Amino acid sequence: MNNRLPHRINFLLFFVTLLLSFMIKFDPPIWKGYEDTYDYLQQSHKSLLNKSFYFPERKPNFYPRPFTVPLFYKMANSDPDTIIIMQKILHALCTFFLGYVILLFLSKTHSKIIFLILWYLLMSWWNILGWTNMLLSESLSMSFTFLWIASFLFVFHKRTTISIIFHIIITILFSFTRDSWPYILIIFYGMFSIIALLWDKKMVKNSILFLLLSCSIFVVQQKSAQIGQRYRLPIMNNIVFRILPNKEYLQWFTDKGMPCVDLLKMHYSHLDAYEKIYPIYTDSTLSKFSDWAGKEGRPIYTKFILSHPSYLFLLNERPSDLNRIFAYDIGYTDEVRGYSLISQYIFPIFNILIILLLNVFLIYLFIKEKRVIWLLPSVLIAIFTFNAFLLYIADSMEVERHLFVTNIMIQFIGILLVCFILDSELCNRILNKRKKFSTLANGETV
């Protein structure tokens, strides 16, 4: 009975939270003011048999996107109301599935129930749930992030052909929600391949298979991004916000042949508000700069990063700017509504210092008890730290939005750490000793 109880709670919470999310309405819709939405919708109208759906080219007033979000929109017949409903369903399904998978790795009933309560509270946080009402990539990217983690752990536990195929499908869809994820996949599978070689030889073949898959995805994604010139806007943003204010950096790019330097300095240096940059995308006087950013700009910017370590490691950034990496509830999703009001007073619970301290303790427990799953938080800390650096360097525009996942993952990792520690034999022995001590104190025979 105790073994079934957590799974029953998981199903009940899935059903209840899905119904509650359907009750959250917006009239008028809040997604209409975002230009990205119309790029996704436009791409979703292309035929699945058309190469341009997967490798779309840059055109006037159209900025290509990775194909997963347009694919999802196409499945909803490109209807905004249907898309929002499907996003809410996927959000609930990923919550349920990851909850189910984590329960497979926990042995104590109390740790299972604590995990489910904290997990469902986290997924009801408006910083996550609010995006399901938007026609942007954030909701699908977040849902597929958790589906990807869950499907990998499912392979780790079941090790069946079906689980492997399912994980491959989820990985492909996840990787093409955003251009940055293929980088993360390579690091994740690389780390787990090393872990498998050291502590779980049975996972070596699967880990190497997934590593090869991630390398293939990376190559395809790079080709797709190159065809669609998806690096154009990030390069332009970085030049304006991080290069123009620094004379030394600007001179470096000038020496490398960047055009329109004087015009950029005249009209776009020392900007105070991000919205002022939008005219640059369509400014005909800067067409040469725009073309340069879409072609030569990316390899030159990459060379600049590698030759300037202080820039690469964000050593010259102001603390106030770096704090944007941990932003949450950033305003895109309007005011908090529905049952999210509960979790809004709870999260965020964890910060980086607490996470690192708990992780050190869990590593100590791993050394003692050798449960490989306890290395998962360390891997997640590593890859999402890299993700924060990658996205901050890749695009200085809307850092908060691009990195809204950072604080979410901090909370998720914190929940995993607490529940893994509570599930340890050391914790169990401490609880048993307290029970015995309490029994003796009451004068009962042990």
Side-chain angles (χ1 to χ4, degrees):
M1 182 65 182
N2 285 340
N3 290 332
R4 295 179 180 178
L5 179 62
H7 291 285
R8 290 175 177 174
I9 293 174
N10 187 26
F11 181 78
L12 178 63
L13 289 173
F14 159 74
F15 184 73
V16 170
T17 54
L18 179 59
L19 289 179
L20 290 174
S21 68
F22 282 150
M23 294 171 63
I24 299 174
K25 304 290 184 181
F26 282 90
D27 189 20
I30 58 175
W31 54 264
K32 290 188 174 181
Y34 297 96
E35 294 183 5
D36 294 10
T37 297
Y38 300 97
D39 290 327
Y40 290 119
L41 289 172
Q42 182 177 338
Q43 192 169 333
S44 73
H45 284 96
K46 295 179 180 291
S47 170
L48 293 178
L49 301 178
N50 192 332
K51 179 183 176 181
S52 64
F53 181 85
Y54 308 97
F55 298 90
E57 295 182 2
R58 166 80 172 88
K59 294 180 180 179
N61 300 318
F62 172 65
Y63 294 94
R65 310 288 173 169
F67 74 81
T68 296
V69 175
L71 174 64
F72 193 92
Y73 287 11
K74 191 172 191 65
M75 292 170 59
N77 201 30
S78 302
D79 176 65
D81 292 335
T82 306
I83 291 169
I84 289 172
I85 290 172
M86 291 181 69
Q87 286 184 160
K88 292 185 177 185
I89 292 173
L90 184 64
H91 171 270
L93 285 173
C94 83
T95 307
F96 172 80
F97 183 51
L98 193 143
Y100 166 77
V101 171
I102 293 298
L103 293 182
L104 299 176
F105 291 93
L106 297 174
S107 57
K108 311 295 188 301
T109 300
H110 66 268
S111 56
K112 292 180 180 182
I113 293 176
I114 290 172
F115 171 77
L116 287 175
I117 292 172
L118 292 175
W119 171 232
Y120 274 88
L121 280 172
L122 175 63
M123 292 301 279
S124 70
W125 189 19
W126 194 245
N127 194 39
I128 304 174
L129 184 64
W131 291 103
T132 61
N133 301 286
M134 299 291 293
L135 266 63
L136 295 169
S137 66
E138 279 74 12
S139 178
L140 291 175
S141 180
M142 193 75 263
S143 293
F144 273 108
T145 299
F146 287 125
L147 277 174
W148 167 67
I149 293 172
S151 62
F152 176 79
L153 294 179
F154 194 62
V155 173
F156 191 81
H157 188 270
K158 296 294 185 179
R159 311 189 186 198
T160 62
T161 301
I162 293 176
S163 67
I164 292 172
I165 294 173
F166 178 66
H167 179 63
I168 290 173
I169 294 171
I170 293 297
T171 300
I172 293 171
L173 292 173
F174 163 62
S175 64
F176 285 96
T177 56
R178 286 194 166 183
D179 283 326
S180 59
W181 290 135
Y183 295 86
I184 302 304
L185 291 176
I186 292 175
I187 297 175
F188 179 86
Y189 292 127
M191 293 183 70
F192 256 100
S193 295
I194 296 172
I195 290 172
L197 285 168
L198 294 175
W199 293 292
D200 192 344
K201 294 292 193 297
K202 293 180 181 179
M203 271 296 290
V204 171
K205 286 185 178 180
N206 290 339
S207 297
I208 293 176
L209 170 66
F210 297 146
L211 180 58
L212 293 174
L213 171 68
S214 66
C215 292
S216 301
I217 288 173
F218 180 83
V219 172
V220 175
Q221 183 264 2
Q222 292 292 305
K223 182 64 175 178
S224 174
Q226 183 181 0
I227 292 173
Q229 296 185 25
R230 294 201 293 267
Y231 302 111
R232 179 191 295 259
L233 297 189
I235 295 297
M236 294 171 73
N237 296 336
N238 286 326
I239 295 298
V240 171
F241 290 117
R242 300 189 69 196
I243 302 302
L244 281 183
N246 189 302
K247 292 182 179 180
E248 180 185 341
Y249 293 167
L250 183 59
Q251 187 60 50
W252 191 95
F253 278 89
T254 303
D255 293 341
K256 299 299 179 183
M258 185 178 76
C260 306
V261 173
D262 291 336
L263 285 174
L264 287 168
K265 289 168 63 177
M266 183 184 303
H267 298 292
Y268 295 99
S269 60
H270 309 297
L271 291 183
D272 295 321
Y274 286 162
E275 58 268 17
K276 292 181 181 178
I277 195 177
Y278 292 124
I280 200 175
Y281 302 151
T282 54
D283 190 338
S284 59
T285 63
L286 292 171
S287 58
K288 290 184 178 179
F289 170 66
S290 179
D291 292 340
W292 174 87
K295 297 175 183 178
E296 300 95 332
R298 182 170 177 263
I300 291 176
Y301 183 67
T302 302
K303 185 177 180 179
F304 170 78
I305 292 173
L306 297 177
S307 62
H308 293 74
S310 60
Y311 185 94
L312 174 63
F313 295 106
L314 311 179
L315 300 181
N316 298 329
E317 295 297 301
R318 295 175 299 182
S320 59
D321 289 333
L322 291 176
N323 283 336
R324 294 185 295 159
I325 292 173
F326 309 102
Y328 59 94
D329 294 336
I330 54 180
Y332 287 85
T333 56
D334 204 65
E335 62 184 15
V336 182
R337 301 192 182 192
Y339 72 109
S340 274
L341 289 168
I342 299 172
S343 57
Q344 199 67 15
Y345 291 102
I346 299 174
F347 291 99
I349 300 173
F350 305 98
N351 59 36
I352 288 189
L353 179 59
I354 294 174
I355 291 296
L356 293 177
L357 291 175
L358 288 174
N359 194 56
V360 168
F361 184 56
L362 186 64
I363 291 174
Y364 166 78
L365 292 176
F366 165 75
I367 294 171
K368 294 291 185 181
E369 301 183 26
K370 296 296 187 295
R371 290 170 67 173
V372 178
I373 187 62
W374 287 350
L375 294 176
L376 175 64
S378 296
V379 175
L380 293 178
I381 289 171
I383 65 171
F384 283 98
T385 298
F386 175 80
N387 185 64
F389 273 89
L390 174 66
L391 290 183
Y392 193 99
I393 294 169
D395 193 345
S396 300
M397 181 79 162
E398 296 185 307
V399 170
E400 295 89 344
R401 177 183 166 188
H402 294 154
L403 285 172
F404 86 105
V405 67
T406 305
N407 216 313
I408 293 171
M409 294 310 302
I410 288 174
Q411 308 313 308
F412 173 63
I413 293 168
I415 292 171
L416 283 181
L417 287 166
V418 168
C419 293
F420 286 162
I421 291 170
L422 289 176
D423 204 57
S424 67
E425 292 302 320
L426 176 63
C427 185
N428 194 47
R429 287 197 297 269
I430 292 172
L431 290 175
N432 287 336
K433 285 181 180 180
R434 286 187 176 182
K435 288 180 181 179
K436 290 180 180 180
F437 180 79
S438 178
T439 302
L440 290 172
N442 291 329
E444 299 178 14
T445 302
V446 179

